């Protein structure tokens, strides 16, 4: 039994701040105002990113609800002047800041502590919203019926990295670019963005770090560094030939794709016979 460590980075072409709310899960609900459409038929409907939300929702009794137009610093709304909107805490999906409706005033998304189960938030691995926002004029807004299709990327300099992530990691959009490898660990900064690893640490990159095989030679146990902001798959091949790779039959999560737990993730893949196999870790940003 041989193993060849490796990784795949699965990238998707994402819209540049065109609404990304799931058409089948587009509504939030307020007992006083009824259904609130997070995906009205406009190009700037609500868009969910890893660091902030932007765009407009619509309610027949509220009118337009403004979530912001993207932070002035490309990372977080400061809630001063015109730089107002709804922020998302990277890594947790907890929401803060405010949306605004001319008819009802401010709608607060950060009214509760981070650990309060009723605080407004969304899942960074499934896009599902949860909890409540609050408006002094209309009461509680249940957002748990809404869902995004992905976490949007805004890549204004076309270098394969989300602007907000670059600002968070480097403080600007110029330190990293196409093909750069800031920490010289063999992984480009764009690959580290996709993998959710740290581009300024040469010990943080996605690879298989441990492997073992049980005595019956049917259970392959694989460990790799992971983050809770990414989704993973284990792929296997017996030949390394093009087209020979397939998702490993089972994983420790019980599904073909699973979220990382942070730190080191360990999964078990089952095979029917004692056959030489190669393994790879595939990573995807929701």
């Amino acid at each position: 039994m041989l193993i060849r460590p490796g990784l795949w980075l699965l990238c998707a072409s994402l819209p540049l701040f065109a609404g990304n709310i799931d058409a089948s899960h587009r509504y939030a609900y307020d007992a006083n105002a009824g259904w609130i459409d997070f995906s009205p038929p406009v190009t700037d409907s609500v868009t969910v990113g890893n660091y902030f939300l932007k765009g407009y929702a619509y309610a027949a009794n509220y009118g337009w609800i403004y979530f912001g137009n993207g932070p002035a610093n490309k990372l977080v709304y400061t809630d001063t002047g015109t730089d107002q909107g709804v922020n998302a805490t990277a890594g947790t999906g907890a929401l803060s800041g405010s949306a605004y409706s001319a008819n009802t005033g401010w709608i607060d998304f950060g009214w509760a502590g981070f650990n309060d189960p009723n605080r407004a938030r969304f899942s960074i691995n499934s896009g599902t919203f949860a909890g409540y926002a609050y408006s002094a004029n209309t009461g509680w807004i249940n957002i748990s019926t809404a869902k995004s299709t992905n976490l949007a990327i805004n890549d204004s300099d076309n270098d394969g990295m989300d602007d907000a992530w670059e600002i968070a990691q480097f403080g600007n959009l110029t330190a990293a670019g196409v093909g750069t490898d800031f920490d010289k660990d063999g992984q480009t900064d764009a690959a580290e963005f996709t993998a959710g690893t740290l581009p300024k640490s040469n010990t943080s990159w996605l690879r298989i770090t441990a492997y073992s095989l049980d005595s019956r030679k049917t259970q392959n146990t694989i460990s790799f560094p992971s983050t809770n902001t990414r989704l993973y798959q284990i792929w296997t091949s017996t030949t390394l030939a093009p087209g020979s790779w397939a998702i490993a039959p089972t994983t420790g999560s019980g599904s073909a794709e699973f979220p990382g737990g942070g730190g080191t993730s360990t999964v078990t893949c089952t095979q029917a016979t004692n056959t030489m196999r190669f393994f790879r870790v595939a990573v995807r940003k929701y």
Side-chain angles (χ1 to χ4, degrees):
M1 176 70 63
L2 298 177
I3 180 169
R4 180 175 178 175
L7 66 90
W8 282 348
L9 306 177
L10 305 183
C11 303
S13 200
L14 300 179
L16 182 65
F17 291 121
N20 63 350
I21 298 298
D22 187 328
S24 299
H25 301 84
R26 59 192 290 180
Y27 295 99
Y29 184 75
D30 182 328
N32 292 313
W35 294 103
I36 302 169
D37 189 355
F38 275 31
S39 186
V42 292
T43 57
D44 51 356
S45 58
V46 174
T47 298
V48 182
N50 197 57
Y51 295 85
F52 57 87
L53 280 63
K54 71 183 298 283
Y56 291 87
Y58 182 80
N61 294 325
Y62 274 16
W64 294 102
I65 302 169
Y66 179 58
F67 281 70
N69 192 39
N73 63 10
K74 300 183 180 292
L75 180 61
V76 59
Y77 296 105
T78 61
D79 283 337
T80 60
T82 59
D83 194 29
Q84 304 274 354
V86 179
N87 291 312
T89 303
T92 70
L95 300 176
S96 61
S98 301
Y100 181 77
S101 168
N103 293 321
T104 63
W106 294 102
I107 300 170
D108 184 7
F109 280 77
W111 58 273
F114 280 95
N115 295 322
D116 190 313
N118 291 313
R119 180 176 178 138
R121 66 183 66 242
F122 67 88
S123 167
I124 53 180
N125 286 320
S126 70
T128 302
F129 284 80
Y132 296 83
Y134 180 77
S135 169
N137 292 322
T138 61
W140 299 103
I141 301 171
N142 183 352
I143 64 172
S144 62
T145 50
K147 182 180 184 294
S148 68
T149 58
N150 56 268
L151 293 184
I153 294 173
N154 181 29
D155 181 12
S156 64
D157 52 358
N158 297 311
D159 59 6
M161 293 170 277
D162 184 18
D163 288 353
W165 182 85
E166 284 190 76
I167 296 293
Q169 297 296 330
F170 300 104
N172 57 61
L173 298 180
T174 58
V178 177
T180 60
D181 178 9
F182 189 93
D183 54 15
K184 311 301 181 188
D185 61 2
Q187 304 297 310
T188 66
D189 297 318
E192 301 231 36
F193 162 66
T194 301
T197 51
L198 301 176
K200 298 172 72 175
S201 170
N202 61 12
T203 62
S204 176
W205 52 284
L206 183 60
R207 74 277 192 196
I208 293 174
T209 55
Y211 168 81
S212 63
L213 182 66
D214 74 335
S215 59
R216 294 181 300 171
K217 302 187 185 319
T218 58
Q219 300 288 323
N220 303 274
T221 302
I222 298 166
S223 298
F224 57 93
S226 70
T227 171
N228 67 344
T229 65
R230 296 296 186 269
L231 299 166
Y232 299 87
Q233 292 177 333
I234 304 298
W235 287 64
T236 185
S237 170
T238 58
T239 66
L240 292 180
S244 68
W245 290 92
I247 297 173
T250 61
T251 69
S253 69
S255 63
E257 186 173 63
F258 52 93
T264 299
S265 287
T266 299
V267 296
T268 300
C269 304
T270 302
Q271 63 187 55
T273 59
N274 176 20
T275 305
M276 180 182 73
R277 288 185 179 271
F278 302 89
F279 293 92
R280 283 178 169 169
V281 179
V283 60
R284 181 174 72 89
K285 176 181 177 294
Y286 179 74

